[in-house]
Amino acid sequence: MITMIKKTSTVLLATIAISGPMMTSLSAHAADEHFVMISHAPDSDSWWNTVKNAVKESADTMGVRVDYRNPSTGDLADMARIVEQSIATNPDGIIVSIADFDVLSGPLEKATRKGIPIITINSGTAEQSLKLNALMHIGQPEYEAGFGAGKKAQKAGVTSFLCVNHYITNPASVERCKGYADAIGVDLTSSMIDSQQDPSGIEMKVRAYMRSNPDTDAILAVGPTSAHPTIRALDKMKLNGKVHFSTFDLSEDIANAIKNGTIAFAIDQQPYLQGYMPVVILTLYNRYGIIQSNNINSGPGYITADNLALVEKLTGTVR
């Protein structure tokens, strides 16, 4: 998925408990401050576990309570309803990913009218965050991250590619693919597939595309959900190391694929920062009226075989 960002300490929860299967209490502290973090991620997206870890550590450090809420299937209409439900509880702040500006702008306007401060994270742009009247945006500039990855691939001789997009309804994922396509100078339309999220289906679609387009130089996956089945597809087709393969984000499988040469590099948006920093910033804003004047770009960073050892032990927890 998709996705963004950096470290520090606290997240959001409530003196009023929000009921529902999609809400998880991330801190046992009893506190006056009640924040809510709302992401677009389905329950199956393990990448967000690092964000949740950061939220818990940040909440514990700052002595606040945070609710983490998400649409269980990743449905954006469901996410918009969660935003509205969360606003109705009058939290002291909202942290939200801009999975789709058009879908979320209406519900989030209600937060502004009620004077609830907002920090946007992960998906979306600084410009969209500003339009939502958010205090700031913490995340990775997605087009620029894709463009940077494409430039690295171009230096390796790449002139064509396949973007395996498992979350095509999220504009940020398309921006990743578009940046890469522009960097190597190709049209995205014929270079991107809507793989959806079923692992077997993704593997099958990648294999079918590569059979139909045998001259494809490279593959870009927009996250672990699409990267893991692509690793298996290349292995079965005996294309490991023969196709320049890069992916957004990190996992144990991706780290192993970097080590064995299947993946050239992973684009790291430092998700820990996306969970840790907004809790700290909202706490300082609520308590003291302190707010920094700039957004936080949490990425992109690039993980290769040369620097993998620095982050591998922390995969899934801090990295």
Side-chain angles (χ1 to χ4, degrees):
M1 198 74 299
I2 306 181
T3 122
M4 317 177 193
I5 309 187
K6 302 170 191 166
K7 299 185 186 180
T8 307
S9 82
T10 46
V11 198
L12 322 141
L13 243 169
T15 52
I16 302 173
I18 302 174
S19 62
M22 291 171 292
M23 184 278 288
T24 303
S25 173
L26 294 181
S27 173
H29 284 306
D32 291 332
E33 291 104 336
H34 161 218
F35 305 137
V36 181
M37 174 180 281
I38 308 160
S39 87
H40 59 270
D43 290 344
S44 60
D45 192 343
S46 61
W47 180 87
W48 282 83
N49 290 340
T50 299
V51 177
K52 295 176 190 178
N53 290 341
V55 166
K56 183 181 184 307
E57 291 190 14
S58 187
D60 288 346
T61 300
M62 302 303 287
V64 300
R65 301 178 67 202
V66 180
D67 293 331
Y68 174 83
R69 304 194 72 196
N70 67 296
S72 59
T73 64
D75 180 74
L76 295 183
D78 194 15
M79 181 184 180
R81 286 191 292 271
I82 293 171
V83 170
E84 292 185 334
Q85 292 166 2
S86 299
I87 291 169
T89 68
N90 296 312
D92 295 304
I94 289 176
I95 303 165
V96 62
S97 60
I98 314 175
D100 189 311
F101 178 84
D102 293 334
V103 171
L104 297 176
S105 57
L108 287 171
E109 185 180 348
K110 297 177 183 178
T112 300
R113 289 201 300 266
K114 296 181 76 170
I116 300 171
I118 299 168
I119 290 180
T120 59
I121 65 167
N122 192 257
S123 297
T125 65
E127 292 75 16
Q128 290 173 333
S129 181
L130 187 62
K131 289 179 181 178
L132 293 172
N133 296 303
L135 295 176
M136 65 184 305
H137 183 71
I138 303 175
Q140 174 175 262
E142 301 294 2
Y143 176 87
E144 289 81 356
F147 191 87
K151 281 299 181 184
K152 288 175 71 68
Q154 188 181 51
K155 287 182 180 179
V158 169
T159 59
S160 63
F161 85 116
L162 164 65
C163 186
V164 187
N165 192 339
H166 66 267
Y167 203 2
I168 207 164
T169 56
N170 186 335
S173 69
V174 178
E175 286 295 293
R176 291 176 172 184
C177 301
K178 182 68 165 62
Y180 191 107
D182 288 350
I184 66 171
V186 302
D187 176 57
L188 178 61
T189 306
S190 59
S191 302
M192 180 172 66
I193 59 172
D194 177 6
S195 69
Q196 301 184 8
Q197 298 189 27
D198 175 67
S200 297
I202 294 171
E203 181 182 330
M204 183 174 61
K205 289 175 182 179
V206 170
R207 293 175 68 180
Y209 185 96
M210 296 302 290
R211 282 195 297 267
S212 299
N213 301 272
D215 295 331
T216 302
D217 291 332
I219 293 177
L220 173 71
V222 299
T225 299
S226 46
H228 295 166
T230 300
I231 292 170
R232 293 192 292 273
L234 293 181
D235 182 54
K236 290 177 181 178
M237 299 182 76
K238 302 189 184 306
L239 291 175
N240 309 66
K242 298 178 182 178
V243 174
H244 188 280
F245 181 15
S246 56
T247 181
F248 281 81
D249 306 326
L250 190 64
S251 71
E252 184 177 353
D253 286 351
I254 290 170
N256 288 334
I258 292 173
K259 282 193 288 189
N260 68 30
T262 299
I263 292 179
F265 60 84
I267 302 107
D268 181 21
Q269 60 175 299
Q270 301 184 106
Y272 192 93
L273 289 171
Q274 297 178 33
Y276 197 92
M277 293 307 297
V279 177
V280 173
I281 292 167
L282 275 178
T283 303
L284 295 177
Y285 181 76
N286 276 283
R287 290 179 185 174
Y288 313 120
I290 294 172
I291 184 71
Q292 65 186 79
S293 61
N294 60 296
N295 298 309
I296 297 175
N297 286 345
S298 64
Y302 299 96
I303 300 172
T304 67
D306 293 334
N307 62 6
L308 180 61
L310 294 174
V311 300
E312 188 176 12
K313 291 185 292 186
L314 302 174
T315 300
T317 57
V318 177
R319 299 301 296 266

